[in-house]
Amino acid sequence: MPGIRRLTVAATAVAAISVLATACTGSASNTAADDPNKDVTLNFWHGWSAPSEIKAIEDNIARFQKAHPNIKVNVTGNMTDDKINQALRAGGEKAPDVVSSFTTDSVGKFCNSGAFADLNPFLKKSGIDKEKVFPKTLLEYTQFKGNQCTLPLLNDAYGLVYNKTAFEAAGITEPPKTWSQFVAAAQKLTIAKGDSYEQLGIMPTYHGYETAPQRLAALWSPSYFDADGKSNLAKDPGFAQMLTAQKDLVGKLGGYEKLEKFRTTFGDEWSAEHPFHLGLVAMQIDGEWRAPMAKEAGVKFEIGTAPMPVPDDRVSEYGKGYLAGTIMGIASGSKKQNAAWELTKYMTTDTEAVVEFANAIHNVPSTLAALDSPKLQVSPEFKTFIDIAKHPKSTTTPAQADGGTYQLTFTDFAYAVEKGEVTDIPAGLAKTDQQIDTDIAKAK
Protein backbone atom coordinates (compact mmCIF):
# COMPACT_ATOMS: atom_id res chain seq x y z
CA MET A 1 0.00 0.00 0.00
CA PRO A 2 1.45 3.37 -0.98
CA GLY A 3 2.29 5.80 1.77
CA ILE A 4 0.55 8.90 0.46
CA ARG A 5 -3.21 9.55 0.37
CA ARG A 6 -4.73 12.90 -0.52
CA LEU A 7 -8.36 13.59 -1.38
CA THR A 8 -9.42 10.26 0.13
CA VAL A 9 -8.83 11.77 3.56
CA ALA A 10 -9.19 15.47 2.82
CA ALA A 11 -12.79 15.92 3.97
CA THR A 12 -12.12 14.38 7.39
CA ALA A 13 -8.88 16.27 7.76
CA VAL A 14 -10.44 19.62 6.88
CA ALA A 15 -13.17 19.14 9.46
CA ALA A 16 -10.69 18.10 12.13
CA ILE A 17 -8.29 20.94 11.45
CA SER A 18 -11.13 23.45 11.42
CA VAL A 19 -11.75 22.52 15.04
CA LEU A 20 -8.06 22.76 15.76
CA ALA A 21 -7.83 26.21 14.21
CA THR A 22 -10.22 27.61 16.81
CA ALA A 23 -8.54 25.87 19.71
CA CYS A 24 -4.84 26.08 18.91
CA THR A 25 -2.82 28.71 20.75
CA GLY A 26 0.57 27.73 19.34
CA SER A 27 2.91 30.27 17.87
CA ALA A 28 4.29 30.01 14.37
CA SER A 29 7.57 31.67 15.44
CA ASN A 30 10.62 29.83 16.69
CA THR A 31 10.94 30.46 20.42
CA ALA A 32 12.46 27.04 21.13
CA ALA A 33 14.91 27.12 24.02
CA ASP A 34 15.54 23.41 24.64
CA ASP A 35 19.04 21.96 24.36
CA PRO A 36 19.03 19.29 21.60
CA ASN A 37 22.25 17.82 22.97
CA LYS A 38 20.68 16.78 26.27
CA ASP A 39 18.90 13.46 26.74
CA VAL A 40 15.36 13.82 25.47
CA THR A 41 12.46 11.69 24.27
CA LEU A 42 10.43 12.77 21.24
CA ASN A 43 6.98 11.57 20.23
CA PHE A 44 6.75 11.07 16.47
CA TRP A 45 3.33 10.31 14.96
CA HIS A 46 2.78 9.21 11.37
CA GLY A 47 0.07 7.64 9.22
CA TRP A 48 1.82 4.65 7.64
CA SER A 49 0.34 1.26 8.47
CA ALA A 50 1.56 -1.44 6.05
CA PRO A 51 4.26 -3.73 7.52
CA SER A 52 6.83 -2.69 4.90
CA GLU A 53 6.13 0.98 5.59
CA ILE A 54 6.38 0.51 9.37
CA LYS A 55 9.73 -1.25 8.92
CA ALA A 56 10.97 1.55 6.67
CA ILE A 57 10.10 4.14 9.34
CA GLU A 58 11.74 2.06 12.08
CA ASP A 59 14.91 1.66 10.01
CA ASN A 60 15.05 5.39 9.38
CA ILE A 61 14.56 6.19 13.07
CA ALA A 62 17.24 3.65 14.02
CA ARG A 63 19.75 5.39 11.74
CA PHE A 64 18.81 8.75 13.25
CA GLN A 65 19.18 7.52 16.83
CA LYS A 66 22.57 6.02 16.03
CA ALA A 67 23.71 9.48 14.92
CA HIS A 68 21.92 11.19 17.85
CA PRO A 69 22.24 8.80 20.81
CA ASN A 70 20.86 11.39 23.23
CA ILE A 71 17.51 11.58 21.40
CA LYS A 72 15.07 8.73 21.88
CA VAL A 73 12.11 8.61 19.51
CA ASN A 74 8.80 7.02 20.45
CA VAL A 75 7.05 6.20 17.17
CA THR A 76 3.29 5.86 16.79
CA GLY A 77 1.96 4.79 13.40
CA ASN A 78 -1.39 4.53 11.66
CA MET A 79 -2.46 7.91 13.03
CA THR A 80 -5.13 9.86 11.18
CA ASP A 81 -5.14 13.65 11.02
CA ASP A 82 -8.20 13.58 13.26
CA LYS A 83 -6.30 11.75 16.01
CA ILE A 84 -3.26 13.95 15.55
CA ASN A 85 -5.31 17.14 15.84
CA GLN A 86 -7.07 15.93 18.98
CA ALA A 87 -3.70 15.19 20.58
CA LEU A 88 -2.29 18.56 19.57
CA ARG A 89 -5.28 20.30 21.14
CA ALA A 90 -4.94 18.29 24.34
CA GLY A 91 -1.19 18.84 24.62
CA GLY A 92 0.85 17.27 27.40
CA GLU A 93 3.75 14.81 27.46
CA LYS A 94 1.95 12.25 25.31
CA ALA A 95 1.18 14.66 22.50
CA PRO A 96 3.29 14.41 19.33
CA ASP A 97 6.35 16.63 18.98
CA VAL A 98 6.87 15.72 15.34
CA VAL A 99 4.08 14.84 12.91
CA SER A 100 3.94 13.34 9.45
CA SER A 101 0.70 13.72 7.50
CA PHE A 102 -0.54 12.49 4.12
CA THR A 103 -2.90 15.45 3.78
CA THR A 104 -0.99 18.00 1.73
CA ASP A 105 -4.26 19.85 1.18
CA SER A 106 -4.34 20.84 4.85
CA VAL A 107 -1.02 22.71 4.92
CA GLY A 108 -2.79 26.07 4.74
CA LYS A 109 -4.77 25.18 7.86
CA PHE A 110 -1.72 23.87 9.69
CA CYS A 111 0.19 27.08 8.97
CA ASN A 112 -2.69 29.53 9.36
CA SER A 113 -3.83 28.11 12.71
CA GLY A 114 -0.37 27.96 14.22
CA ALA A 115 -0.70 24.22 14.82
CA PHE A 116 2.80 23.67 13.44
CA ALA A 117 5.87 25.82 14.07
CA ASP A 118 7.34 27.88 11.24
CA LEU A 119 10.46 26.01 10.14
CA ASN A 120 12.10 28.97 8.40
CA PRO A 121 14.07 29.99 11.54
CA PHE A 122 15.25 26.40 12.00
CA LEU A 123 16.34 26.19 8.36
CA LYS A 124 18.22 29.48 8.66
CA LYS A 125 19.90 28.42 11.90
CA SER A 126 21.06 25.20 10.23
CA GLY A 127 22.35 27.04 7.17
CA ILE A 128 19.94 25.25 4.84
CA ASP A 129 18.83 27.05 1.69
CA LYS A 130 15.49 25.38 1.05
CA GLU A 131 15.36 26.53 -2.59
CA LYS A 132 18.56 24.57 -3.23
CA VAL A 133 17.38 21.48 -1.34
CA PHE A 134 13.77 20.96 -2.46
CA PRO A 135 12.05 21.14 -5.87
CA LYS A 136 10.10 24.39 -6.29
CA THR A 137 6.69 22.68 -6.59
CA LEU A 138 7.19 20.79 -3.33
CA LEU A 139 7.96 24.02 -1.49
CA GLU A 140 4.71 25.45 -2.88
CA TYR A 141 2.54 22.83 -1.19
CA THR A 142 4.45 22.76 2.12
CA GLN A 143 4.16 26.47 3.01
CA PHE A 144 1.49 29.13 3.22
CA LYS A 145 2.15 32.84 2.73
CA GLY A 146 5.81 32.48 3.65
CA ASN A 147 5.18 30.30 6.69
CA GLN A 148 7.14 27.10 6.02
CA CYS A 149 5.28 25.14 8.67
CA THR A 150 5.97 21.80 6.98
CA LEU A 151 8.64 20.22 4.78
CA PRO A 152 8.30 17.53 2.10
CA LEU A 153 8.81 13.92 3.19
CA LEU A 154 8.87 11.96 -0.07
CA ASN A 155 6.79 12.91 -3.05
CA ASP A 156 4.11 11.57 -5.38
CA ALA A 157 4.14 12.14 -9.12
CA TYR A 158 1.10 11.28 -11.20
CA GLY A 159 1.39 9.88 -14.70
CA LEU A 160 -0.10 7.24 -17.00
CA VAL A 161 0.25 3.52 -16.24
CA TYR A 162 -0.79 1.30 -19.12
CA ASN A 163 -1.15 -2.31 -20.27
CA LYS A 164 1.49 -2.75 -22.97
CA THR A 165 0.01 -6.08 -24.02
CA ALA A 166 -3.41 -4.49 -24.60
CA PHE A 167 -1.74 -1.67 -26.53
CA GLU A 168 -0.07 -4.16 -28.88
CA ALA A 169 -3.33 -6.05 -29.39
CA ALA A 170 -5.05 -2.78 -30.34
CA GLY A 171 -2.24 -1.79 -32.69
CA ILE A 172 -1.13 1.15 -30.54
CA THR A 173 2.65 1.54 -30.74
CA GLU A 174 3.30 4.20 -28.11
CA PRO A 175 1.55 5.91 -25.20
CA PRO A 176 -0.55 8.97 -26.14
CA LYS A 177 1.14 12.33 -25.77
CA THR A 178 -1.79 14.63 -26.56
CA TRP A 179 -5.38 14.64 -25.34
CA SER A 180 -6.76 13.79 -28.79
CA GLN A 181 -4.39 10.79 -29.00
CA PHE A 182 -5.48 9.81 -25.48
CA VAL A 183 -9.17 9.87 -26.42
CA ALA A 184 -8.49 7.85 -29.59
CA ALA A 185 -6.48 5.27 -27.63
CA ALA A 186 -9.15 5.00 -24.93
CA GLN A 187 -11.80 4.30 -27.59
CA LYS A 188 -9.63 1.81 -29.44
CA LEU A 189 -8.81 -0.07 -26.21
CA THR A 190 -12.45 -0.31 -25.14
CA ILE A 191 -14.08 -3.68 -25.82
CA ALA A 192 -17.82 -3.90 -25.23
CA LYS A 193 -19.49 -6.86 -23.54
CA GLY A 194 -23.28 -6.65 -23.77
CA ASP A 195 -24.33 -3.53 -21.88
CA SER A 196 -20.99 -3.49 -20.06
CA TYR A 197 -17.31 -3.92 -20.93
CA GLU A 198 -14.80 -6.69 -21.36
CA GLN A 199 -12.09 -4.04 -21.28
CA LEU A 200 -12.31 -0.28 -20.83
CA GLY A 201 -9.63 2.01 -22.27
CA ILE A 202 -9.68 4.10 -19.10
CA MET A 203 -12.21 4.84 -16.38
CA PRO A 204 -12.68 8.56 -17.06
CA THR A 205 -15.13 9.44 -14.28
CA TYR A 206 -13.87 11.44 -11.33
CA HIS A 207 -14.61 8.57 -8.95
CA GLY A 208 -12.21 6.43 -10.97
CA TYR A 209 -9.63 6.35 -8.19
CA GLU A 210 -6.89 8.86 -9.07
CA THR A 211 -8.75 10.37 -12.05
CA ALA A 212 -9.67 13.33 -9.85
CA PRO A 213 -10.41 16.82 -11.21
CA GLN A 214 -7.16 18.16 -9.76
CA ARG A 215 -5.08 15.56 -11.60
CA LEU A 216 -6.74 16.33 -14.95
CA ALA A 217 -6.73 20.11 -14.41
CA ALA A 218 -2.95 19.98 -13.96
CA LEU A 219 -2.65 19.11 -17.67
CA TRP A 220 -3.92 22.61 -18.49
CA SER A 221 -1.64 24.22 -15.83
CA PRO A 222 -4.40 26.55 -14.58
CA SER A 223 -4.15 29.15 -11.82
CA TYR A 224 -6.56 28.42 -8.99
CA PHE A 225 -6.22 31.95 -7.58
CA ASP A 226 -5.47 35.36 -9.06
CA ALA A 227 -2.87 37.86 -7.87
CA ASP A 228 -5.31 39.16 -5.23
CA GLY A 229 -5.94 35.69 -3.82
CA LYS A 230 -9.44 35.40 -5.31
CA SER A 231 -10.70 32.14 -6.79
CA ASN A 232 -9.87 32.09 -10.48
CA LEU A 233 -11.81 29.09 -11.83
CA ALA A 234 -14.10 31.07 -14.13
CA LYS A 235 -11.40 33.40 -15.46
CA ASP A 236 -8.78 30.77 -16.30
CA PRO A 237 -10.00 28.98 -19.45
CA GLY A 238 -8.11 25.83 -18.48
CA PHE A 239 -10.76 24.74 -15.97
CA ALA A 240 -13.66 24.93 -18.44
CA GLN A 241 -11.53 23.23 -21.10
CA MET A 242 -10.68 20.35 -18.77
CA LEU A 243 -14.29 19.88 -17.62
CA THR A 244 -15.51 19.91 -21.22
CA ALA A 245 -12.81 17.50 -22.42
CA GLN A 246 -13.49 15.03 -19.60
CA LYS A 247 -17.25 15.10 -20.15
CA ASP A 248 -16.70 14.50 -23.86
CA LEU A 249 -14.50 11.49 -23.08
CA VAL A 250 -17.15 10.11 -20.72
CA GLY A 251 -19.69 10.33 -23.54
CA LYS A 252 -17.42 8.65 -26.08
CA LEU A 253 -16.76 5.71 -23.76
CA GLY A 254 -20.42 4.93 -23.12
CA GLY A 255 -21.83 7.68 -20.96
CA TYR A 256 -21.84 8.41 -17.26
CA GLU A 257 -24.44 5.86 -16.14
CA LYS A 258 -22.93 2.94 -18.06
CA LEU A 259 -19.43 3.78 -16.87
CA GLU A 260 -20.47 4.19 -13.25
CA LYS A 261 -22.35 0.89 -13.34
CA PHE A 262 -19.15 -0.80 -14.53
CA ARG A 263 -17.11 1.02 -11.90
CA THR A 264 -19.21 -0.45 -9.09
CA THR A 265 -17.79 -3.87 -10.00
CA PHE A 266 -14.22 -2.73 -9.32
CA GLY A 267 -12.15 -3.94 -6.39
CA ASP A 268 -10.47 -1.75 -3.79
CA GLU A 269 -7.88 0.70 -5.09
CA TRP A 270 -5.17 -0.61 -2.78
CA SER A 271 -5.85 -4.32 -3.25
CA ALA A 272 -4.82 -6.97 -5.76
CA GLU A 273 -8.36 -6.68 -7.16
CA HIS A 274 -7.71 -3.27 -8.68
CA PRO A 275 -9.31 -3.24 -12.19
CA PHE A 276 -5.98 -2.42 -13.84
CA HIS A 277 -4.44 -5.52 -12.27
CA LEU A 278 -7.31 -7.62 -13.59
CA GLY A 279 -7.13 -6.25 -17.11
CA LEU A 280 -10.52 -4.53 -16.85
CA VAL A 281 -9.01 -1.15 -17.70
CA ALA A 282 -6.03 -0.70 -20.03
CA MET A 283 -4.88 2.73 -18.87
CA GLN A 284 -4.79 4.26 -15.41
CA ILE A 285 -3.92 7.75 -14.23
CA ASP A 286 -1.96 6.91 -11.10
CA GLY A 287 1.14 7.38 -9.02
CA GLU A 288 4.52 5.72 -8.99
CA TRP A 289 3.28 2.91 -6.77
CA ARG A 290 0.84 1.39 -9.28
CA ALA A 291 3.36 -0.51 -11.42
CA PRO A 292 5.06 -2.29 -8.48
CA MET A 293 1.66 -3.01 -6.93
CA ALA A 294 0.48 -4.57 -10.19
CA LYS A 295 3.59 -6.72 -10.36
CA GLU A 296 3.07 -7.83 -6.77
CA ALA A 297 -0.49 -8.77 -7.75
CA GLY A 298 0.95 -11.11 -10.38
CA VAL A 299 -0.40 -9.47 -13.53
CA LYS A 300 0.03 -11.50 -16.74
CA PHE A 301 0.73 -8.53 -19.00
CA GLU A 302 3.63 -6.13 -19.56
CA ILE A 303 3.34 -2.75 -17.84
CA GLY A 304 4.33 0.61 -19.28
CA THR A 305 4.45 4.07 -17.73
CA ALA A 306 4.43 7.51 -19.33
CA PRO A 307 3.60 11.12 -18.49
CA MET A 308 -0.04 12.07 -18.72
CA PRO A 309 -1.16 13.37 -22.13
CA VAL A 310 -1.32 17.12 -22.48
CA PRO A 311 -3.81 19.32 -24.36
CA ASP A 312 -3.04 19.41 -28.07
CA ASP A 313 -1.99 23.06 -27.94
CA ARG A 314 0.46 22.32 -25.09
CA VAL A 315 2.47 19.51 -26.67
CA SER A 316 5.72 21.31 -25.81
CA GLU A 317 4.88 20.73 -22.12
CA TYR A 318 4.62 16.95 -22.47
CA GLY A 319 6.36 15.26 -19.56
CA LYS A 320 4.78 17.31 -16.81
CA GLY A 321 2.34 15.99 -14.22
CA TYR A 322 0.63 16.59 -10.91
CA LEU A 323 2.75 16.47 -7.74
CA ALA A 324 1.78 15.95 -4.11
CA GLY A 325 3.32 14.26 -1.11
CA THR A 326 3.66 13.56 2.56
CA ILE A 327 4.47 16.49 4.83
CA MET A 328 6.38 16.71 8.11
CA GLY A 329 6.12 19.37 10.80
CA ILE A 330 6.84 20.22 14.41
CA ALA A 331 4.02 20.81 16.87
CA SER A 332 4.04 24.45 17.94
CA GLY A 333 3.11 23.36 21.46
CA SER A 334 6.13 21.08 21.82
CA LYS A 335 8.68 21.99 24.51
CA LYS A 336 11.37 20.08 22.61
CA GLN A 337 11.38 21.90 19.29
CA ASN A 338 15.15 22.06 18.81
CA ALA A 339 15.43 18.30 19.31
CA ALA A 340 12.35 17.84 17.14
CA TRP A 341 14.08 19.85 14.44
CA GLU A 342 17.05 17.47 14.47
CA LEU A 343 14.67 14.60 13.63
CA THR A 344 12.75 16.63 11.05
CA LYS A 345 15.95 17.89 9.43
CA TYR A 346 17.36 14.37 9.20
CA MET A 347 14.26 12.77 7.69
CA THR A 348 13.57 15.54 5.19
CA THR A 349 17.00 16.84 4.13
CA ASP A 350 19.55 14.06 4.69
CA THR A 351 20.15 12.54 1.25
CA GLU A 352 20.87 9.02 2.49
CA ALA A 353 17.80 9.03 4.76
CA VAL A 354 15.51 10.27 1.97
CA VAL A 355 16.88 7.77 -0.56
CA GLU A 356 16.66 4.81 1.81
CA PHE A 357 13.08 5.70 2.70
CA ALA A 358 12.11 6.20 -0.95
CA ASN A 359 13.63 2.86 -1.92
CA ALA A 360 11.80 1.10 0.89
CA ILE A 361 8.27 2.33 0.15
CA HIS A 362 8.53 3.05 -3.60
CA ASN A 363 7.79 6.77 -3.42
CA VAL A 364 9.59 9.55 -5.27
CA PRO A 365 12.35 11.30 -3.27
CA SER A 366 11.65 14.85 -2.13
CA THR A 367 15.07 16.54 -2.40
CA LEU A 368 17.01 17.48 -5.49
CA ALA A 369 20.06 15.54 -4.33
CA ALA A 370 18.06 12.40 -3.61
CA LEU A 371 16.38 12.55 -7.03
CA ASP A 372 19.83 12.36 -8.62
CA SER A 373 21.39 9.93 -6.14
CA PRO A 374 23.10 6.88 -7.66
CA LYS A 375 21.79 4.90 -4.69
CA LEU A 376 18.18 5.48 -5.73
CA GLN A 377 16.66 2.29 -7.09
CA VAL A 378 15.20 3.28 -10.45
CA SER A 379 13.33 0.76 -12.60
CA PRO A 380 12.22 1.76 -16.12
CA GLU A 381 8.66 2.21 -14.84
CA PHE A 382 9.81 4.32 -11.89
CA LYS A 383 12.05 6.58 -13.98
CA THR A 384 8.96 8.04 -15.63
CA PHE A 385 7.82 9.44 -12.30
CA ILE A 386 11.27 10.71 -11.37
CA ASP A 387 11.27 12.67 -14.63
CA ILE A 388 7.77 14.02 -13.94
CA ALA A 389 8.90 15.17 -10.50
CA LYS A 390 11.82 17.02 -12.10
CA HIS A 391 9.80 18.58 -14.93
CA PRO A 392 9.67 22.39 -14.59
CA LYS A 393 6.02 22.50 -15.71
CA SER A 394 4.73 19.97 -13.16
CA THR A 395 2.22 21.60 -10.83
CA THR A 396 0.34 21.12 -7.58
CA THR A 397 -2.70 22.59 -5.85
CA PRO A 398 -1.74 25.64 -3.76
CA ALA A 399 -2.16 25.84 0.01
CA GLN A 400 -5.05 27.94 1.27
CA ALA A 401 -6.36 29.05 4.64
CA ASP A 402 -9.37 26.74 4.27
CA GLY A 403 -7.13 23.73 3.72
CA GLY A 404 -8.61 21.42 1.12
CA THR A 405 -12.13 22.86 1.27
CA TYR A 406 -11.72 24.81 -1.98
CA GLN A 407 -10.64 21.62 -3.74
CA LEU A 408 -13.66 19.74 -2.43
CA THR A 409 -15.90 22.57 -3.66
CA PHE A 410 -14.33 22.36 -7.11
CA THR A 411 -14.62 18.57 -7.06
CA ASP A 412 -18.32 18.72 -6.18
CA PHE A 413 -18.89 21.05 -9.13
CA ALA A 414 -16.95 18.71 -11.44
CA TYR A 415 -19.16 15.80 -10.30
CA ALA A 416 -22.24 17.82 -11.23
CA VAL A 417 -20.83 18.62 -14.68
CA GLU A 418 -19.99 15.02 -15.57
CA LYS A 419 -23.44 13.86 -14.44
CA GLY A 420 -25.08 16.41 -16.71
CA GLU A 421 -26.61 18.35 -13.81
CA VAL A 422 -24.75 21.49 -14.90
CA THR A 423 -24.79 22.55 -18.54
CA ASP A 424 -23.61 26.16 -18.26
CA ILE A 425 -20.02 25.55 -17.16
CA PRO A 426 -18.83 29.21 -17.15
CA ALA A 427 -21.77 30.33 -14.99
CA GLY A 428 -21.27 27.36 -12.68
CA LEU A 429 -17.57 28.11 -12.29
CA ALA A 430 -18.41 31.72 -11.40
CA LYS A 431 -20.73 30.51 -8.61
CA THR A 432 -18.07 28.08 -7.46
CA ASP A 433 -15.60 30.97 -7.26
CA GLN A 434 -18.00 32.86 -5.01
CA GLN A 435 -18.36 29.88 -2.68
CA ILE A 436 -14.61 29.35 -2.49
CA ASP A 437 -13.96 33.03 -1.72
CA THR A 438 -16.62 32.95 1.00
CA ASP A 439 -15.13 29.83 2.61
CA ILE A 440 -11.60 31.23 2.56
CA ALA A 441 -12.75 34.54 4.06
CA LYS A 442 -14.38 32.62 6.92
CA ALA A 443 -11.25 30.52 7.44
CA LYS A 444 -9.10 33.63 7.73
Side-chain angles (χ1 to χ4, degrees):
M1 183 177 292
I4 299 172
R5 325 282 189 271
R6 300 193 80 248
L7 286 177
T8 52
V9 295
T12 301
V14 168
I17 297 169
S18 295
V19 174
L20 176 64
T22 62
C24 180
T25 57
S27 170
S29 62
N30 177 18
T31 57
D34 62 293
D35 185 350
N37 297 311
K38 289 186 176 180
D39 290 346
V40 64
T41 298
L42 296 175
N43 295 326
F44 170 45
W45 286 20
H46 66 81
W48 285 282
S49 58
S52 60
E53 297 168 345
I54 296 296
K55 183 180 185 303
I57 285 285
E58 291 175 346
D59 289 347
N60 223 356
I61 295 299
R63 288 188 290 268
F64 169 78
Q65 291 184 141
K66 184 177 181 180
H68 300 79
N70 65 299
I71 302 178
K72 179 183 178 182
V73 183
N74 289 334
V75 183
T76 304
N78 197 24
M79 301 302 293
T80 64
D81 276 15
D82 192 15
K83 293 177 181 177
I84 290 170
N85 292 324
Q86 290 177 18
L88 290 175
R89 290 173 58 206
E93 287 298 314
K94 294 184 178 181
D97 300 291
V98 183
V99 171
S100 171
S101 169
F102 300 144
T103 318
T104 307
D105 303 327
S106 298
V107 167
K109 283 280 189 185
F110 283 136
C111 296
N112 194 53
S113 69
F116 288 178
D118 184 1
L119 300 180
N120 279 313
F122 293 97
L123 289 160
K124 183 177 181 181
K125 181 172 59 178
S126 298
I128 296 174
D129 185 342
K130 61 186 180 182
E131 279 81 12
K132 294 181 179 179
V133 175
F134 304 103
K136 179 177 179 291
T137 304
L138 275 60
L139 286 176
E140 289 177 7
Y141 69 66
T142 52
Q143 64 86 34
F144 179 61
K145 292 189 173 180
N147 181 354
Q148 192 74 52
C149 75
T150 68
L151 287 175
L153 179 59
L154 300 191
N155 170 29
D156 272 344
Y158 289 83
L160 189 69
V161 184
Y162 63 96
N163 183 329
K164 276 190 173 183
T165 305
F167 267 50
E168 292 174 3
I172 303 173
T173 58
E174 61 181 8
K177 292 183 178 181
T178 65
W179 186 265
S180 61
Q181 292 172 354
F182 177 59
V183 172
Q187 291 179 284
K188 201 168 185 179
L189 289 161
T190 297
I191 303 172
K193 184 180 180 180
D195 62 351
S196 188
Y197 305 89
E198 178 181 323
Q199 175 183 278
L200 186 61
I202 191 167
M203 175 51 71
T205 64
Y206 296 126
H207 284 100
Y209 302 134
E210 301 301 327
T211 313
Q214 291 78 8
R215 314 279 190 271
L216 294 180
L219 304 179
W220 278 262
S221 296
S223 297
Y224 282 84
F225 299 93
D226 63 20
D228 297 323
K230 297 295 185 180
S231 185
N232 199 46
L233 304 185
K235 293 179 181 178
D236 191 314
F239 291 103
Q241 290 169 4
M242 182 280 290
L243 292 166
T244 301
Q246 184 269 355
K247 184 169 176 54
D248 178 68
L249 178 57
V250 167
K252 288 182 176 178
L253 294 185
Y256 178 77
E257 291 184 2
K258 182 177 179 180
L259 288 166
E260 282 294 281
K261 183 179 179 181
F262 185 54
R263 187 182 63 81
T264 61
T265 67
F266 290 176
D268 184 79
E269 181 177 4
W270 312 114
S271 75
E273 303 303 308
H274 189 289
F276 178 74
H277 302 171
L278 300 179
L280 296 175
V281 295
M283 294 187 290
Q284 185 74 31
I285 291 175
D286 223 320
E288 68 279 353
W289 59 80
R290 181 54 54 197
M293 284 187 73
K295 290 182 178 180
E296 289 175 10
V299 299
K300 305 300 183 183
F301 54 83
E302 190 177 356
I303 299 170
T305 60
M308 291 190 287
V310 294
D312 290 49
D313 60 352
R314 290 177 176 265
V315 68
S316 63
E317 299 176 6
Y318 179 70
K320 68 181 181 180
Y322 178 83
L323 304 182
T326 303
I327 55 176
M328 192 169 186
I330 297 173
S332 60
S334 172
K335 305 298 184 183
K336 313 163 190 174
Q337 289 189 12
N338 284 324
W341 168 243
E342 292 300 319
L343 176 61
T344 303
K345 178 176 65 173
Y346 174 78
M347 292 188 68
T348 61
T349 69
D350 184 274
T351 301
E352 182 179 356
V354 174
V355 170
E356 291 286 348
F357 196 26
N359 285 340
I361 69 171
H362 308 299
N363 280 158
V364 177
S366 44
T367 68
L368 295 169
L371 283 166
D372 290 328
S373 172
K375 294 183 179 180
L376 184 64
Q377 297 170 6
V378 182
S379 66
E381 296 89 2
F382 190 55
K383 186 179 185 303
T384 295
F385 298 95
I386 296 293
D387 292 342
I388 292 171
K390 292 180 177 181
H391 199 285
K393 290 290 186 178
S394 288
T395 59
T396 189
T397 36
Q400 267 296 340
D402 70 343
T405 299
Y406 82 89
Q407 293 186 52
L408 296 175
T409 302
F410 172 50
T411 298
D412 286 342
F413 176 71
Y415 288 158
V417 171
E418 74 171 357
K419 290 179 183 177
E421 295 174 354
V422 173
T423 55
D424 189 340
I425 292 177
L429 284 171
K431 289 182 180 179
T432 305
D433 281 333
Q434 293 174 2
Q435 183 62 55
I436 289 172
D437 288 338
T438 297
D439 291 340
I440 289 176
K442 290 179 180 179
K444 291 179 179 178

